[in-house]
Amino acid sequence: MRVTVLGAGTMGHGIAQVAAMADNDIVVRDIEERFLEEGVEAIESNLQGGVDRGKISESEKMATLDRIDTTTDLEEAVAEADLVIEAVPEDIDIKQSTFKEIEAALTGETVIASNTSSLSVTEITSVLDRPEQAIGLHFFNPVHIMGLVEIVVAEQTDEETIAFAEEFIEEIGKEPVTVRDSAGFASSRLGVALGVEAVRMLETGVAGPRAIDRAMELGYNHPMGPIELTDIVGLDVRLDILKYLQEELGDRFRPPQLLRQKVRAGKLGKKTGEGFYLWEDGERVGVSGDLEGGR
């Protein structure tokens, strides 16, 4: 299969990697060469980590990289694609304009998928002439490790597209969970509900970030606590999702003031070196100094 991924960022390059490892031909498109170079470097680093741990061979690594092409040209990227997956910023206007550009450049019966984690797939795809061939494919970060992909069925999606999506996800070694399109779907709504309550606990001094995270890791076998996960996702991303869910579902998703303050201060988590934790070279090294009870 020929798969096009739009966006070479964290999610885009991860999706490209797992699809290439399953013997698909991949084209990654982004607006600048430097973003593409960074994306390919990240894929190579992930694959090398797999080689170092004995998960894949050196030849498998090289074969995967050989299946990945890059371009800044949208028409070139989607030409002859069987599936196009957008992994652009989590903004409804950007996603809708991207979908319109994709459809205008297509010549065949191509399925178009959005990697949105919370926005309405029905609304995103409403701008298409053929919305029945569009669907949501919500991958999880880091894509090459996480086993779940949430398949989000829009109001317009037809049965053939659903079957195509489920088969593709199984083919790349992931577990599909198919849900109806609703605000936050299943995973994001539950995950954000846990995350926002954890931030409220920080805000009211119930416990520090380490204590909250360890409670969920040890008490509920979560691989990562909700505060650390918020830092990795990005506080700005989490804030935008909460605003959207508040609008759609009510004040139980109202963003905490502490989260707003962090975002205003530019403390967005791992990507900026500070959120609720301090980060250096991608590793957690301490707790943000403006938190009380930071144990």
Side-chain angles (χ1 to χ4, degrees):
M1 186 183 299
R2 183 178 174 89
V3 180
T4 296
V5 180
L6 302 184
T10 300
M11 299 306 297
H13 74 244
I15 295 167
Q17 176 184 329
V18 298
M21 292 179 74
D23 294 333
N24 296 292
D25 294 323
I26 311 300
V27 179
V28 182
R29 187 260 180 177
D30 214 314
I31 57 175
E32 293 185 26
E33 284 290 348
R34 64 188 178 97
F35 298 143
L36 293 169
E37 291 170 2
E38 290 168 0
V40 172
E41 287 173 4
I43 293 172
E44 188 166 7
S45 176
N46 289 340
L47 292 170
Q48 186 58 51
V51 172
D52 294 342
R53 293 189 298 273
K55 300 293 185 180
I56 62 172
S57 67
E58 181 67 25
S59 61
E60 288 172 322
K61 167 192 163 183
M62 297 308 299
T64 298
L65 291 171
D66 286 344
R67 295 187 196 105
I68 300 172
D69 291 322
T70 63
T71 183
T72 57
D73 187 292
L74 180 64
E75 290 190 10
E76 178 185 336
V78 303
E80 301 179 14
D82 299 294
L83 171 65
V84 178
I85 305 173
E86 66 82 5
V88 302
E90 195 77 345
D91 179 281
I92 190 74
D93 293 330
I94 295 174
K95 288 186 182 293
Q96 284 185 325
S97 64
T98 300
F99 263 52
K100 286 193 288 188
E101 289 175 4
I102 294 169
E103 188 175 54
L106 292 176
T107 56
E109 298 294 305
T110 302
V111 171
I112 309 174
S114 173
N115 181 53
T116 181
S117 62
S118 62
L119 298 176
S120 169
V121 178
T122 299
E123 185 175 358
I124 293 170
T125 62
S126 66
V127 299
L128 298 176
D129 292 330
R130 293 184 290 105
E132 66 276 6
Q133 291 181 274
I135 199 163
L137 293 180
H138 176 205
F139 288 81
F140 290 75
N141 184 33
V143 179
H144 65 290
I145 294 175
M146 301 297 284
L148 173 66
V149 177
E150 198 170 27
I151 297 177
V152 184
V153 179
E155 293 296 328
Q156 309 95 321
T157 308
D158 64 21
E159 291 296 326
E160 186 177 353
T161 301
I162 297 170
F164 175 92
E166 290 175 339
E167 183 178 349
F168 170 72
I169 294 306
E170 290 174 350
E171 180 188 280
I172 64 174
K174 302 297 184 183
E175 182 76 24
V177 172
T178 303
V179 302
R180 183 175 63 84
D181 183 28
S182 61
F185 318 138
S187 60
S188 290
R189 189 187 298 191
L190 291 170
V192 169
L194 177 61
V196 72
E197 189 60 29
V199 175
R200 291 190 184 113
M201 291 169 66
L202 282 180
E203 192 171 52
T204 56
V206 173
R210 288 194 184 100
I212 293 170
D213 281 346
R214 292 300 282 166
M216 298 310 297
E217 291 163 0
L218 299 177
Y220 290 85
N221 283 332
H222 288 199
M224 181 186 301
I227 301 298
E228 183 176 3
L229 180 58
T230 298
D231 263 21
I232 290 174
V233 169
L235 276 64
D236 53 335
V237 174
R238 183 56 56 89
L239 177 60
D240 286 343
I241 292 172
L242 283 169
K243 289 177 179 177
Y244 173 73
L245 292 180
Q246 181 188 11
E247 181 180 331
E248 294 290 322
L249 300 172
D251 277 354
R252 68 185 186 272
F253 289 101
R254 180 186 295 275
Q257 191 61 28
L258 176 59
L259 181 63
R260 294 180 185 272
Q261 290 170 346
K262 286 280 188 182
V263 173
R264 288 192 193 109
K267 298 176 180 179
L268 307 183
K270 182 178 178 180
K271 60 189 174 185
T272 61
E274 183 174 357
F276 296 112
Y277 289 103
L278 299 175
W279 300 82
E280 289 181 7
D281 298 323
E283 299 294 327
R284 201 180 76 183
V285 296
V287 172
S288 176
D290 57 8
L291 292 175
E292 295 181 4
R295 294 183 177 179

